[in-house]
């Protein structure tokens, strides 16, 4: 297209940036180059769809970066590339810069920046953006609260997180998903409130998954808590054949080591 002398428009950029977001581990260099090109044309800050696609792409890149970190002990190659991604001054700063300069924002824009900040230990900033989002009249959805609850968990804001969790269903009429229950289990587990974390698991309308059980298992090990046996019962019920048991036990051991 470019060889033919045709300048790409916002639709082309949204399509390509979304493609990078769907395949983050294979498209790092291309994604950065696309953003640079979009910035050259002024589309990343003057077109809400392009700006949102840029933020979403960096959010996905960051998620992959954290996933890669968990495999570092297994000898992952190209560590320089991944360390550059997760050094805390690249993706987050760029995402915020793009978001702050956008002349108009959508719910997806707000969700992208809130989640991006929450998962990268900028919890208080994420909650400030959430307040700004509400002040501008945007209606929160399930994705918004996943970011908000994650932020509360990382910041140790237990009571604040509980308030948001209750408001989801009571005020915002949002159907609670397993990731929201998982955030609450993680929130209580990080705070050492294992009884409350177990209470969430017991009252969930669905079975806990490996992520939820791994979170509380790590907390039990760190605190040498006797309720480890009760957690093990949930793990066994999740997978009686033992595959998940092995993964969770190994994960819990690493987390508590």
């Amino acid at each position: 297209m470019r060889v033919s002398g045709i300048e790409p428009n916002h639709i082309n950029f949204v399509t390509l940036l979304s493609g990078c977001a769907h395949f983050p581990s294979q498209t790092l260099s291309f994604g950065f180059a696309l953003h640079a090109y979009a910035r050259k044309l002024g589309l990343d800050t003057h077109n809400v769809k392009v700006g949102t696609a840029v933020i979403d792409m960096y959010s996905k890149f960051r998620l992959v970066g954290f996933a890669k970190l968990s495999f570092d002990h297994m000898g992952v190659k190209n560590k320089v590339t991944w360390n550059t991604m997760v050094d805390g001054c690249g993706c987050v700063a760029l995402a915020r810069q793009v978001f702050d300069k956008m002349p108009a924002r959508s719910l997806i824009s707000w969700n992208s920046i809130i989640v991006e900040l929450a998962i990268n230990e900028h919890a208080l900033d994420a909650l400030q953006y959430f307040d700004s989002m509400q002040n501008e009249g945007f209606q929160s959805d399930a994705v918004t609260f996943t970011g908000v609850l994650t932020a509360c968990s990382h910041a140790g804001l237990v009571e604040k997180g509980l308030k948001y969790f209750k408001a989801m269903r009571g005020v915002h009429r949002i159907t609670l998903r397993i990731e929201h229950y998982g955030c609450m289990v993680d929130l209580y587990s990080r705070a050492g409130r294992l009884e409350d974390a177990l209470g969430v698991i017991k009252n969930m309308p669905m079975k806990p998954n490996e992520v939820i059980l791994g979170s509380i298992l790590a907390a039990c090990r760190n605190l040498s808590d006797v309720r480890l046996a009760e957690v093990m019962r949930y793990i066994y019920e999740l997978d009686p054949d033992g595959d998940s048991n092995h993964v969770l036990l190994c994960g819990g051991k690493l987390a508590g080591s």
Side-chain angles (χ1 to χ4, degrees), residues 36-198:
Y37 193 18
R39 168 155 292 194
K40 178 181 177 181
L41 299 177
L43 289 174
D44 63 336
T45 56
H46 290 84
N47 185 285
V48 63
K49 293 181 179 179
V50 175
T52 298
V54 169
I55 295 171
D56 183 56
M57 179 186 72
Y58 281 125
S59 180
K60 298 297 194 305
F61 282 1
R62 176 69 65 164
L63 283 171
V64 171
F66 276 106
K68 284 290 183 182
L69 283 180
S70 67
F71 290 100
D72 276 350
H73 298 292
M74 301 180 188
V76 173
K77 297 180 180 179
N78 300 321
K79 289 182 66 176
V80 173
T81 300
W82 291 109
N83 287 342
T84 300
M85 284 175 50
V86 298
D87 64 2
C89 64
C91 296
V92 171
L94 284 170
R96 290 185 69 162
Q97 187 178 41
V98 170
F99 181 87
D100 290 340
K101 290 184 177 180
M102 291 170 67
R105 303 179 182 100
S106 66
L107 176 60
I108 297 175
S109 307
W110 285 104
N111 284 348
S112 296
I113 195 65
I114 290 170
V115 171
E116 168 76 5
L117 291 168
I119 64 177
N120 291 301
E121 307 298 334
H122 295 267
L124 297 181
D125 290 336
L127 294 177
Q128 287 179 355
Y129 273 96
F130 175 63
D131 290 339
S132 297
M133 171 186 169
Q134 291 186 307
N135 290 336
E136 292 194 16
F138 283 88
Q139 181 64 44
S140 308
D141 65 2
V143 177
T144 312
F145 279 100
T146 299
V148 169
L149 293 175
T150 299
C152 290
S153 178
H154 288 181
L157 302 173
V158 178
E159 297 306 320
K160 199 176 188 72
L162 182 58
K163 184 185 78 170
Y164 285 134
F165 184 72
K166 291 179 177 178
M168 285 182 65
R169 187 165 47 188
V171 177
H172 299 276
R173 306 299 181 190
I174 296 173
T175 301
L176 298 176
R177 302 175 181 172
I178 192 168
E179 57 263 33
H180 301 127
Y181 289 102
C183 286
M184 291 305 298
V185 172
D186 187 58
L187 178 69
Y188 283 131
S189 296
R190 286 172 181 257
R193 293 172 54 170
L194 299 185
E195 193 67 44
D196 290 320
L198 280 171

Side-chain angles (χ1 to χ4, degrees), residues 209-216 248:
N209 57 20
E210 289 92 340
V211 175
I212 292 175
L213 293 175
S215 177
I216 192 171
L248 284 168

Side-chain angles (χ1 to χ4, degrees), residues 14-27:
V14 169
T15 301
L16 291 169
L17 291 166
S18 297
C20 290
H22 279 89
F23 302 96
S25 61
Q26 293 93 357
T27 56

Side-chain angles (χ1 to χ4, degrees), residues 233-254:
R233 177 173 62 82
Y234 283 103
I235 294 175
Y236 178 78
E237 291 175 355
L238 179 68
D239 184 8
D241 295 330
D243 291 340
S244 295
N245 297 357
H246 178 72
V247 172
L248 284 168
L249 282 172
C250 289
K253 184 176 181 181
L254 286 173

